Amino acid sequence: MRKIELGWFIPTQGDTTAYGDPGASVPPSIDAFDRVSLSAERAGFEYLLIPVNVHCWEAWITGAMMAARTKSIKPLIAARPGYINPVLLAKMISTFDQLSGGRICINLIAGLSDEQYAADGLPYSKNDRYLLMDEEVSILKALWKADAPIDYDGRFYKLKGVQVIPPVLQKPYPKFYLGGGSKEAWEISAKHADVHLFWGDHPDRVAENMSQIRQLAAKYGRADQIGFGMRLQIICREREEDAWAAADQLIRHADAEFRKDIAGRFQNSVANRRMQELSSQDLIIPHLWTGITKVRPGAGIAVVGDPRQCADTLQKFIDVGCHSFCLSGYLHDEEAERFGRLVLPLLRAKNA
């Protein structure tokens, strides 16, 4: 039985209480990031997901700032294939790990869109990005485990006599997370990830997918090592009717053109396509709502309800074997506080 862990999300592209309503937006700033990070830390969250896309502020700089301004929460920062030379990335992460007292974890992202990679000047196809990611993570792990300079002869990188100083503080190395729905993503998780995060779906489907990934992990002797979790939104209020009112407020101002743009983004992503499939139904199970998928790309499935309803919905994923929950909600500082005060005690009481 794994210990349940909780992560929160910092909206480095800005926050809102109503998509499509400029008057409801909160622009990104150091003050806004502080409010979210400190609220999440006080609420009991253990890690802090920092997003990466063209609209977000740079994740490594933001993560370092937040680590310096908090005491315990761990930034979860993306390692995207091709963006940073793996030797430099290994040194960046080990330095971060040492200076923060072991407060760094790594988010593996290779999917996204071909258009974004091309816009950033990177020529890799989706298939090549996963091959490149496999090679880069293999290099990171080899460098951190080595006690002497190493060589590496791969398809993308050829290294000779490489050593990384300082060593990582967390042994054998910081935790790796990966969220993705493609077979390529599952293979990387099976080989490298400590936690595979599913986006919202029916608990039975999540259980089936867990079984398949664990079978893949068995090829690498990791069937018992890989863990699983959920990336979900949460809208909790003390009264259920207030939670649904907040949910409606989030999406009611987004017009047809706004929604069409969201539906068309990242169509080469299996996980995003699954979100759009699920959006055809309002609820997956009671209190597991698809509405945000219509106004936000990525993980838009939300748990909606009063504290007991939210805790019971999350419990369904715990019962099928999930132990890590990466959550977010609007506004992010306020929702983190509500979750820590209203929902977390209920989860702790049932999962001692």
Side-chain angles (χ1 to χ4, degrees):
M1 193 73 164
R2 293 175 185 261
K3 175 181 176 293
I4 292 173
E5 63 173 19
L6 296 167
W8 196 246
F9 177 89
I10 182 166
T12 60
Q13 78 284 10
D15 210 347
T16 189
T17 55
Y19 281 97
D21 178 5
S25 65
V26 178
S29 69
I30 186 64
D31 289 340
F33 299 168
D34 276 347
R35 288 197 301 272
V36 174
S37 300
L38 292 169
S39 181
E41 186 171 75
R42 287 192 296 264
F45 289 94
E46 296 160 79
Y47 63 91
L48 184 68
L49 174 60
I50 304 176
V52 288
N53 68 49
V54 68
H55 302 291
C56 296
W57 288 23
E58 202 283 315
W60 284 98
I61 300 299
T62 303
M65 289 288 289
M66 293 304 101
R69 298 160 80 90
T70 54
K71 294 180 179 179
S72 62
I73 202 163
K74 289 186 174 185
L76 172 57
I77 311 178
R80 293 184 289 172
Y83 277 84
I84 303 174
N85 176 283
V87 178
L88 174 59
L89 184 59
K91 192 175 186 75
M92 287 170 55
I93 294 170
S94 62
T95 301
F96 197 124
D97 200 34
Q98 289 284 354
L99 292 177
S100 67
R103 291 197 292 132
I104 180 66
C105 38
I106 305 153
N107 189 21
L108 299 175
I109 300 177
L112 292 179
S113 69
D114 292 338
E115 293 78 14
Q116 183 167 330
Y117 269 83
D120 290 339
L122 297 170
Y124 307 108
S125 66
K126 182 178 179 180
N127 184 63
D128 281 345
R129 292 198 299 271
Y130 279 106
L131 295 173
L132 181 59
M133 174 179 281
D134 181 21
E135 196 163 301
E136 290 184 354
V137 177
S138 296
I139 291 170
L140 294 177
K141 290 183 173 181
L143 287 169
W144 290 329
K145 290 174 70 175
D147 54 11
I150 67 166
D151 299 340
Y152 186 90
D153 185 10
R155 172 179 170 182
F156 299 96
Y157 296 101
K158 299 185 185 301
L159 311 176
K160 186 74 173 176
V162 179
Q163 187 174 15
V164 165
I165 298 171
V168 287
L169 184 61
Q170 299 175 79
K171 301 299 182 183
Y173 31 71
K175 287 173 68 173
F176 288 89
Y177 293 71
L178 189 151
S182 70
K183 296 301 182 183
E184 296 92 341
W186 287 11
E187 190 71 32
I188 293 292
S189 267
K191 187 174 181 180
H192 290 300
D194 296 283
V195 179
H196 184 94
L197 290 171
F198 297 102
W199 293 357
D201 212 321
H202 195 287
D204 291 345
R205 183 181 175 109
V206 170
E208 292 171 7
N209 292 345
M210 287 168 56
S211 177
Q212 293 181 49
I213 294 174
R214 194 173 278 115
Q215 289 177 32
L216 293 174
K219 299 187 303 181
Y220 305 103
R222 303 186 69 247
D224 296 327
Q225 295 178 32
I226 189 167
F228 299 95
M230 300 300 301
R231 170 75 182 99
L232 294 164
Q233 307 285 334
I234 187 153
I235 305 171
C236 181
R237 300 294 185 272
E238 295 194 38
R239 301 189 312 161
E240 180 184 1
E241 54 264 41
D242 293 335
W244 285 112
D248 177 67
Q249 177 69 13
L250 264 177
I251 68 171
R252 68 159 59 188
H253 298 281
D255 60 23
E257 184 175 350
F258 186 100
R259 297 182 185 217
K260 182 179 179 181
D261 175 62
I262 294 298
R265 291 190 197 178
F266 308 124
Q267 282 302 301
N268 67 329
S269 163
V270 173
N272 271 289
R273 290 202 301 271
R274 178 60 179 165
M275 292 299 97
Q276 293 306 309
E277 290 172 10
L278 289 168
S279 70
S280 64
Q281 53 185 309
D282 193 43
L283 292 171
I284 299 172
I285 58 174
H287 305 289
L288 194 61
W289 182 58
T290 67
I292 299 176
T293 63
K294 300 176 177 68
V295 298
R296 177 196 189 279
I301 304 298
V303 178
V304 184
D306 65 30
R308 173 55 64 188
Q309 291 164 340
C310 289
D312 287 348
T313 303
L314 293 172
Q315 188 67 43
K316 295 181 186 301
F317 294 104
I318 295 171
D319 291 344
V320 299
C322 292
H323 80 283
S324 185
F325 291 86
C326 186
L327 307 174
S328 52
Y330 307 88
L331 293 168
H332 283 72
D333 55 331
E334 297 175 3
E335 195 69 59
E337 185 278 330
R338 277 191 294 269
F339 184 90
R341 176 168 51 89
L342 299 173
V343 182
L344 185 52
L346 300 177
L347 289 175
R348 283 178 172 157
K350 195 164 185 178
N351 300 279

